[in-house]
Amino acid sequence: MPPSPRPANLAIDSTRLMSRLAALGRVGALPGGGVCRLALTDTDRQGRDRVVGWMRDLGLAVTVDRIGNVFGLRPGAEEGPPVVIGSHIDTVATGGLYDGALGVLAGLEVVNVLNDAAIRTRRPVAVAFFTNEEGARFAPDMMGSGVLSGHLDLAEMLSSVGIDGATLGDDLARIGYAGETPVGAIAAHCYLELHIEQGPVLDAEGIAIGAVTGVQGICWTEYRFKGQTNHAGTTPMTMRRDAGYAAARLAVEARRVALETGGAQVATVGRFGVTPGLTNVVPGEALLTTDLRNTDGAVLAAADARLQAFAREVAAAEGVALETRALARFDPVAFDPALVGLVEETARGLGHSVRRMPSGAGHDAQMFAPHCPSAMIFVPSKGGISHNITEHTDPAQIAAGAGVLLRVALEKAGVESDE
Ligand code: GLV
Ligand code: MN
Ligand code: MN
């Protein structure tokens, strides 16, 4: 038998990683490219089954917890908390092939490399994917990792109702992923997540690797205005209770508040609907959501409070009722400085250009960060496009990120023969 490669010579197999990414991308594939695997749908189940199949093929011990998070464990020479490599495999309805899937399948690639080289790590290594990271069907986002971290309540999340009226707990059971393992407090030695940047910075600057310093805060609020459905031709402008008008004013105000707040503040109205939605009927109901984000938690809370106050004023002026619901509230987090430094040095040592940067998107790593040393590795997104079927990262860029992940994971897990 040829001797096993020394850990320093290990390399990821880019063709194998790309082929798993393509295979998962065929589950829920959309015409024209991209993928739709909304959380806990049948396509999510098919994607989960495929990844679990790969975990088993690689000899990982698979466990599923009560919120449907899946862990595949590779034992180490010692007992104790594993180095967790994770992300998500659910997508938005207009998803690309790499958002989330990359972090999970790169984790499997790390395990594949370790298996092929018969490397025994000192600590266990786990590859994990977390339920409903996207929050596109059921709010909030980062749900599985949020329950795992104790930030979200399990019973409350199981009873959450999706945009299509489904209940999360029912669908989790229906697709066979209501696991038996209790959702414990996080027991991870450290947490690593490789992800596409989903923004324009690395691509614009021609930099290969982002060493992510933290994730900005996220605040989602749902507004439901209730006025009076009425005739569009006969109802004088002064006698309307137009829920659609109130919602439209709030949508415009969201952009104004973001621009006036300035700095890192962003605001998005991603859901907007009026009922009954007919040309000649004054809308009796309107629903909209705001997605506000900022690296400064206090500024973020102030922007949300300002919009809520505006919504109340508009509702009163138009004579419509208003109900608001907090959908997501996540504080900004900073990643572990030593681990961020390790990502940066490792990337540099492998000959890649690297920069430090915050994350604009939410990630499961955000839920782990308060509990164990956590870090993320970003690779470029072409044109900064994501949550879009044309999302693209070149295979060589993906390989660079996965190579950094491999080396950082090895460093944190330790190699028995190195001791
Ligand atoms: C998750 O993708 C989010 O940032 O909304
Ligand atoms: Mn993601
Ligand atoms: Mn996403």
Side-chain angles (χ1 to χ4, degrees):
M1 274 238 309
S4 312
R6 298 288 306 142
N9 297 330
L10 294 178
I12 65 119
D13 179 336
S14 167
T15 307
R16 185 168 58 194
L17 172 56
M18 292 311 295
S19 113
R20 284 202 185 105
L21 281 163
L24 184 55
R26 286 194 285 278
V27 180
L30 293 169
V35 69
C36 175
R37 282 193 309 271
L38 288 168
L40 309 172
T41 55
D42 287 336
T43 45
D44 186 21
R45 186 199 66 225
Q46 288 160 24
R48 286 166 170 263
D49 289 351
R50 185 155 295 190
V51 175
V52 167
W54 286 325
M55 285 178 166
R56 294 215 161 100
D57 291 347
L58 289 167
L60 300 178
V62 176
T63 56
V64 183
D65 72 18
R66 292 184 58 208
I67 192 70
N69 297 323
V70 176
F71 288 81
L73 189 73
R74 185 179 193 271
E78 297 170 8
E79 308 257 315
V83 170
V84 178
I85 304 173
S87 197
H88 60 100
I89 61 162
D90 68 313
T91 72
V92 296
T94 54
L97 299 194
Y98 307 119
D99 176 2
L102 175 59
V104 180
L105 301 188
L108 291 187
E109 178 54 30
V110 168
V111 168
N112 217 146
V113 170
L114 298 179
N115 287 359
D116 288 354
I119 297 273
R120 193 159 191 226
T121 53
R122 191 155 58 78
R123 298 178 195 286
V125 173
V127 180
F129 60 87
F130 305 102
T131 294
N132 185 36
E133 188 274 349
E134 292 290 6
R137 184 169 177 233
F138 297 97
D141 49 352
M142 279 86 74
M143 188 185 279
S145 51
V147 173
L148 187 64
S149 68
H151 188 86
L152 300 171
D153 179 70
L154 173 64
E156 207 182 307
M157 294 304 112
L158 290 175
S159 60
S160 68
V161 175
I163 55 174
D164 51 8
T167 300
L168 187 135
D170 293 349
D171 266 6
L172 198 55
R174 188 182 62 78
I175 68 165
Y177 279 88
E180 313 245 292
T181 305
V183 191
I186 286 182
H189 173 67
C190 64
Y191 178 80
L192 304 172
E193 186 166 352
L194 170 64
H195 207 284
I196 54 169
E197 180 200 336
Q198 307 184 269
V201 175
L202 294 174
D203 188 43
E205 296 183 358
I207 291 176
I209 299 290
V212 186
T213 50
V215 183
Q216 64 181 346
I218 300 177
C219 176
W220 291 359
T221 305
E222 178 186 272
Y223 295 85
R224 198 178 286 273
F225 294 97
K226 290 189 178 164
Q228 186 172 52
T229 305
N230 213 335
H231 196 290
T234 62
T235 316
M237 295 311 288
T238 51
M239 295 179 70
R240 294 172 179 228
R241 294 168 54 217
D242 186 338
Y245 172 69
R249 286 198 61 193
L250 179 59
V252 171
E253 186 69 7
R255 176 168 282 229
R256 191 205 320 273
V257 166
L259 291 171
E260 285 180 8
T261 303
Q265 185 64 53
V266 288
T268 305
V269 173
R271 281 186 81 197
F272 188 108
V274 294
T275 308
L278 299 168
T279 304
N280 58 352
V281 182
V282 175
E285 275 197 40
L287 177 138
L288 73 76
T289 55
T290 52
D291 173 327
L292 308 181
R293 309 201 190 195
N294 201 312
T295 47
D296 183 321
V299 175
L300 177 62
D304 183 60
R306 195 173 148 192
L307 277 179
Q308 295 214 26
F310 182 86
R312 286 192 294 273
E313 277 166 33
V314 164
E318 188 65 12
V320 302
L322 170 65
E323 288 167 17
T324 58
R325 203 156 64 95
L327 297 181
R329 296 285 185 272
F330 296 115
D331 291 333
V333 299
F335 289 139
D336 181 70
L339 209 43
V340 176
L342 179 62
V343 167
E344 196 176 31
E345 281 161 32
T346 304
R348 209 166 271 137
L350 289 169
H352 303 305
S353 50
V354 56
R355 63 162 284 165
R356 290 183 173 225
M357 62 193 302
S359 170
H363 296 290
D364 295 305
Q366 194 169 358
M367 301 296 105
F368 277 80
H371 299 271
C372 66
S374 302
M376 294 189 74
I377 302 158
F378 274 176
V379 288
S381 293
K382 187 172 179 207
I385 303 291
S386 187
H387 285 183
N388 180 314
I389 63 169
T390 64
E391 171 187 287
H392 179 78
T393 302
D394 287 336
Q397 296 172 316
I398 286 176
V404 174
L405 177 69
L406 170 65
R407 298 244 67 88
V408 173
L410 270 172
E411 177 69 26
K412 296 311 291 178
V415 174
E416 206 192 13
S417 56
D418 267 6
E419 303 300 306

